[in-house]
Amino acid sequence: WQKREISNFDYLMYLNTLAGRSYNDYMQYPVFPWVLADYDSETLNLTNPRTFRDLSKPMGAQTVERKRKFIQRYNEVEKSEGDLLVQCHYCTHYSSAIIVASYLVRMEPFTQTFCSLQGGSFDVADRMFHSVKSTWESASRDNMSDVRELIPEFFYLPEFLTNANHFELGCMQDGTVLGDVQLPPWADGDPHKFILLHRQALESDYVSAHLHRWIDLIFGHKQHGSAAVEAVNTYHPYFYGDKMDLNNIKDPLIKTTILGFISNFGQIPKQV
């Protein structure tokens, strides 16, 4: 990868596989980074650093104000065990079964998966994945319970962005009927162009030069411990699957709670 003999996409897939992530497990699906921060321009400038997301910071620290709030949350909670109120920056995760299914909800079998995770029906329309820009704004700035990253399909599969099956996904409060995913202006309403430019962004010089910083956060030494605290990158202890020894937990209720928590909210990849 350092010699540019494999692409950034291939390297990320390799790391995901090493870390135990798989297309066969929604709870440990391959995780990819948001790479762009520009969802407003008519044309995408891949030579301008401001076009890109800050890959050295997790999604919870993309803005100064948001970072401050998560640090405040971390400092306010006393350390305690066996309780959901533990010292961490994030009580939600950047990759989970519901996040994966929500991104791919317009395609089967993910439509059925999403509905089963939602209790048999689609979610409230305003909470459904309907716009790349609004999802970025939610995950990077607006929603304190949303720190989601992306999935590999954002870089190769235009079909997941169209409602080719004509599912009735509902109507938002502003009257918008959900159909195809709303794309940034630079995509000209064309899912193929979006995927092409998004993949070019992933393989750009800027991302190639900074991608290792994101890898440190997700797969490397900034996953946990003092380096994670310094990077504003700590998650609820239940998310660290390899750190939880379920065999030593005798109380079946606590064990069930932990397993339910993990299945709903996701797991940190194995450290590579």
Side-chain angles (χ1 to χ4, degrees):
W1 175 68
Q2 288 179 320
K3 294 176 183 176
R4 299 288 183 96
E5 291 174 357
I6 62 171
S7 67
N8 290 338
F9 183 91
D10 288 338
Y11 185 48
L12 287 171
M13 283 305 301
Y14 177 69
L15 290 174
N16 270 284
T17 303
L18 278 183
R21 313 297 282 190
S22 167
Y23 282 119
N24 298 320
D25 186 347
Y26 292 146
M27 289 185 287
Q28 297 194 76
Y29 209 75
V31 55
F32 269 58
W34 287 96
V35 293
L36 293 173
D38 181 359
Y39 298 96
D40 294 301
S41 299
E42 293 294 328
T43 56
L44 196 58
N45 183 359
L46 297 181
T47 62
N48 183 355
R50 288 194 293 182
T51 298
F52 298 92
R53 165 257 180 105
D54 187 341
L55 287 159
S56 70
K57 296 183 175 113
M59 290 303 291
Q62 288 297 308
T63 69
V64 174
E65 178 64 15
R66 188 168 156 95
K67 180 179 178 181
R68 183 189 65 76
K69 286 179 180 176
F70 279 120
I71 292 173
Q72 183 179 356
R73 172 193 284 177
Y74 180 89
N75 291 332
E76 283 176 353
V77 178
E78 294 294 323
K79 291 183 180 179
S80 59
E81 294 297 329
D83 188 354
L84 297 186
L85 282 172
V86 294
Q87 194 168 38
C88 62
H89 294 108
Y90 314 115
C91 292
T92 55
H93 198 248
Y94 48 76
S95 175
S96 66
I98 195 68
I99 289 172
V100 172
S102 70
Y103 280 144
L104 300 173
V105 69
R106 290 163 179 80
M107 297 172 58
E108 290 289 14
F110 303 99
T111 312
Q112 294 304 315
T113 301
F114 182 83
C115 289
S116 65
L117 289 169
Q118 284 288 87
S121 62
F122 292 120
D123 197 0
V124 175
D126 286 81
R127 290 202 298 257
M128 296 279 285
F129 172 53
H130 66 277
S131 159
V132 178
K133 177 187 174 181
S134 67
T135 303
W136 159 254
E137 290 174 345
S138 172
S140 67
R141 187 186 72 199
D142 296 339
N143 187 344
M144 289 293 285
S145 62
D146 183 2
V147 292
R148 76 183 72 183
E149 292 279 8
L150 298 183
I151 54 175
E153 284 83 352
F154 272 85
F155 301 94
Y156 68 81
L157 190 71
E159 287 79 10
F160 88 96
L161 297 165
T162 62
N163 187 21
N165 292 313
H166 305 292
F167 292 120
E168 294 185 7
L169 301 171
C171 183
M172 297 172 64
Q173 286 184 346
D174 64 4
T176 303
V177 177
L178 294 196
D180 297 345
V181 175
Q182 295 171 13
L183 302 175
W186 45 259
D188 295 328
D190 182 351
H192 289 83
K193 185 174 182 180
F194 172 83
I195 295 294
L196 176 67
L197 292 174
H198 205 216
R199 183 66 172 263
Q200 288 178 2
L202 178 65
E203 303 300 341
S204 66
D205 289 341
Y206 180 90
V207 172
S208 296
H210 295 85
L211 186 58
H212 65 285
R213 298 180 180 277
W214 183 83
I215 290 168
D216 287 342
L217 294 168
I218 306 299
F219 301 108
H221 74 287
K222 292 183 180 178
Q223 249 192 13
H224 53 78
S226 58
V229 175
E230 192 174 331
V232 193
N233 192 45
T234 66
Y235 296 81
H236 194 283
Y238 291 171
F239 295 149
Y240 297 88
D242 55 344
K243 302 284 186 291
M244 295 295 301
D245 188 357
L246 291 174
N247 294 325
N248 287 335
I249 298 173
K250 304 301 181 201
D251 189 325
L253 186 60
I254 293 177
K255 185 180 287 191
T256 303
T257 301
I258 292 173
L259 287 172
F261 200 81
I262 293 168
S263 65
N264 280 319
F265 294 109
Q267 286 178 271
I268 301 287
K270 291 186 178 72
Q271 187 173 354
V272 176

